[in-house]
Amino acid sequence: MSVGDSRAVLVTGGAGYIGSHACKALAQADYIPVTVDNFVNGFESAVRWGPLECADIGDRVRLDEVFRVHQPVAVMHFAAYAYVGESMKDPGNYYRNNVVNSLTLLEAARDHGVKRFVFSSTCNTYGVPRVTPITEEHVQLPINPYGASKLMVERILRDFDSSHGIRSISLRYFNAAGADPDLEIGEDHDPETHLIPLVLMASAVGAKPLEIYGDDYETPDGTCVRDYIHVTDLAAAHLLALKRLEQGGESNAYNLGNGSGFSVRDVIRTAEGVTGHAIPVRTIARRPGDAPILVGDATKARHELGWRPGHAELSYILETAWGWHCRQGRDDLKTSVG
Ligand code: UDP
């Protein structure tokens, strides 16, 4: 079989949160998602829709083996460190894992004749927005090493197109949230740092209060505002990006967001409605590296990729996250996905 006939798509980080949802979407569209994961953040139980290769993308020898065996027609690259706070504390780790290892992966893709590449980028590449909602033309001036590391890969991708003909689509996610509506997979980080799972954990009887990172921002209620996007809608966008590249589409970057901002307090209030539990909170200092407001304009993805987010309501996002949370048995509460 030649690379051109293959239905295999290499999914780095396929055992992780967004990567596993993309694997499900790929399998449903008759691709073979080949997960490459080093299990620093991933879970074997999330790899359910295709082969698994336990490998680090920084290991060129292992990557060569994986490319040889599976002959992927494309790469979807999710594997990365993705915590703003952690990146401020240990930037070197972020640049090594997110930039250096992405370069190793890209060189392997180049040498094995892969010409299509879909990259997990982030709204953190924009920094503090000058205009809201943010379009793709907004200046990219990241304020944390996480965003900077992703922006560097976007730049490398442009050069790999010019020099090696690898066409790529960078998808700049706003805040991925929620879980697979069938509850087969969901968000599972250890330690957990993301707002929605932490809010749900704080709803358990006797749990520690949710810490709000600052309520003195210039936002309507003083807490940070984010654009929460359902993980299944993100996965669908990856498939559309791959199809666009297959149809000869040029390298590009697209925002993936719903265009609606919700504050930390909005999320807490909605979670109280979904769970039926009061959520104790305490406000602490701002988290370094946080932009006050990040809300995306995804008009370009709608027009050019035909992307139609199907689960935009915050309450639905929280219902699926809550369903997953309960299913994980993190407390003794009952599942109630609408
Ligand atoms: N946040 C918070 N308390 C927490 C975790 C997050 O107040 O325990 C805030 C954080 O400052 C940000 C928003 O919630 O404004 C979303 O943070 P998250 O880490 O989920 O995603 P990020 O925006 O960093 O990608």
Side-chain angles (χ1 to χ4, degrees), residues 10 12 36 38 40 55-60 63 67 75 77-81 92-109 117 119 149-150 152-153 156-157 160:
L10 211 106
T12 73
V36 174
N38 63 4
V40 167
D56 192 297
I57 57 161
D59 181 345
R60 179 61 202 261
L63 280 184
F67 275 97
V75 172
H77 179 31
F78 296 89
Y81 294 151
N93 213 16
Y94 271 66
Y95 290 118
R96 185 173 308 100
N97 192 48
N98 294 2
V99 183
V100 177
N101 291 351
S102 290
L103 190 54
T104 303
L105 172 69
L106 259 169
E107 287 177 335
F117 200 95
F119 175 56
S149 70
K150 291 285 184 172
M152 286 175 191
V153 178
I156 292 169
L157 284 170
F160 268 61

Side-chain angles (χ1 to χ4, degrees), residues 82-85 122-124 146 174-176 187 193-199 210-214 217 223-226 228 264 286-287 290-292 294:
Y83 296 147
V84 169
T122 170
C123 61
N124 275 282
Y146 166 56
F174 285 68
N175 284 59
E187 188 165 13
T193 68
H194 288 123
L195 179 65
I196 288 181
L198 288 174
V199 165
L210 184 273
E211 293 182 331
I212 296 176
Y213 297 150
Y217 287 95
T223 65
C224 284
V225 171
R226 293 289 181 272
Y228 294 91
V264 173
R286 291 182 179 195
R287 182 174 67 176
D290 269 342
L294 288 170

Side-chain angles (χ1 to χ4, degrees), residues 15 20 39 49 67 72 74 105 154 158 178 193 209 230 241 255 259 273 280 314 317 330:
S20 60
F39 291 100
W49 292 279
F67 275 97
L105 172 69
E154 285 197 13
R158 282 205 291 278
T193 68
H230 197 281
N255 285 342
L314 183 62
I317 290 172
R330 284 188 179 133

